[in-house]
Amino acid sequence: MVIKSVELEIVCGVTSKLPDTDKPEVAFAGKSNVGKSSLINGLMNRKALARTSSQPGKTQTINYYNINQCMYLVDLPGYGYARASVKEKEKWGKMIENYLHTSKKLQAVFLLIDIRHEPSSNDKQMYDWIVYQGYNPIIIATKLDKIKRSQIAKHVKMIKTGLDVKPDTIVLPYSAQTKQGREEIWSVIDELLGFAQDVSRDSRGEKNEET
């Protein structure tokens, strides 16, 4: 995907009615402070469109980013923030559930897991929840730069085992610092949405393919 335009087009709060969009959507879910905003900024080649913070729990709305006027990247509220009240957690949970259950254009859900640690009970619950809604989550293992290269395979296996994923589940390691893994994530999105097959021809009739 060549990023030509990005716009935060729709923001939905607790009482907002979810939009009936006309473009395919891919959604990103993850525990608070797992690096979701940094990932989204990295994917969109923007430094601060998605707000990042050292304080967890900042994403409390569902944010729709219009990419190239051809798709929506949907940022879901973070979950598992220890200092949030039970009422707040229930509120965010209902927002995520409502989105997963009602979106007509949702094509895939990406679940972010910190590659350094075994998945938490909240991570496992979210994974099972997404599967229950009929999706096979694609796992993005964040904070890749925090472990040694020799540890990657071991930690990816740890995530797969901890979540008890389906055999064909994709796990994509990613570093917000180096952007390692960015192209692999976009390749998966392009393939899922059919953009990988979009081929244009130049004035000489030769094929050009954008990815």
Side-chain angles (χ1 to χ4, degrees):
M1 174 74 73
V2 176
I3 306 298
K4 297 176 181 176
S5 66
V6 176
E7 179 186 0
L8 175 55
E9 189 170 289
I10 305 166
V11 177
C12 294
V14 180
T15 59
S16 303
K17 184 179 183 298
L18 291 175
D20 188 8
T21 65
D22 61 350
K23 298 176 180 63
E25 301 167 10
V26 293
F28 290 77
K31 188 167 58 181
S32 301
N33 221 24
V34 74
K36 184 156 56 66
S37 296
S38 295
L39 166 70
I40 289 172
N41 282 328
L43 289 177
M44 299 188 299
N45 280 337
R46 300 294 189 273
K47 290 186 177 180
L49 192 54
R51 290 179 298 171
T52 60
S53 174
S54 58
Q55 179 183 350
K58 276 294 183 183
T59 307
Q60 300 180 17
T61 54
I62 298 176
N63 301 327
Y64 291 71
Y65 295 93
N66 188 330
I67 311 291
N68 291 353
Q69 299 297 317
C70 67
M71 64 166 286
Y72 285 108
L73 190 158
V74 182
D75 183 10
L76 300 175
Y79 61 84
Y81 179 37
R83 293 185 183 179
S85 67
V86 173
K87 188 175 181 180
E88 282 181 310
K89 289 178 181 178
E90 289 178 351
K91 176 181 69 177
W92 299 341
K94 286 179 180 178
M95 289 175 67
I96 297 172
E97 181 178 26
N98 186 37
Y99 172 76
L100 293 177
H101 187 65
T102 62
S103 174
K104 297 176 183 177
K105 292 291 187 177
L106 180 58
Q107 303 299 310
V109 181
F110 290 81
L111 178 61
L112 279 64
I113 305 291
D114 189 330
I115 199 170
R116 299 174 297 177
H117 311 299
E118 290 188 18
S120 66
S121 59
N122 279 321
D123 291 328
K124 175 60 175 166
Q125 183 180 19
M126 179 57 68
Y127 175 82
D128 291 341
W129 197 8
I130 295 169
V131 170
Y132 179 74
Q133 295 295 336
Y135 298 94
N136 187 13
I138 298 159
I139 309 300
I140 298 179
T142 63
K143 304 183 188 288
L144 176 61
D145 51 282
K146 303 296 184 183
I147 65 171
K148 296 178 181 178
R149 184 181 294 272
S150 60
Q151 297 176 307
I152 295 174
K154 175 185 175 183
H155 283 245
V156 166
K157 183 178 180 181
M158 177 179 71
I159 290 174
K160 288 183 174 181
T161 302
L163 294 177
D164 191 19
V165 300
K166 295 181 179 181
D168 59 345
T169 297
I170 299 170
V171 179
L172 302 169
Y174 176 78
S175 167
Q177 296 298 318
T178 67
K179 303 299 184 294
Q180 183 178 343
R182 179 183 183 275
E183 297 307 316
E184 288 79 2
I185 295 170
W186 270 120
S187 291
V188 170
I189 294 174
D190 286 344
E191 185 173 350
L192 285 168
L193 301 188
F195 297 150
Q197 285 75 43
D198 288 346
V199 176
S200 61
R201 295 177 181 272
D202 65 17
S203 58
R204 295 169 296 176
E206 295 178 350
K207 292 183 178 179
N208 289 316
E209 187 169 350
E210 290 187 353
T211 56

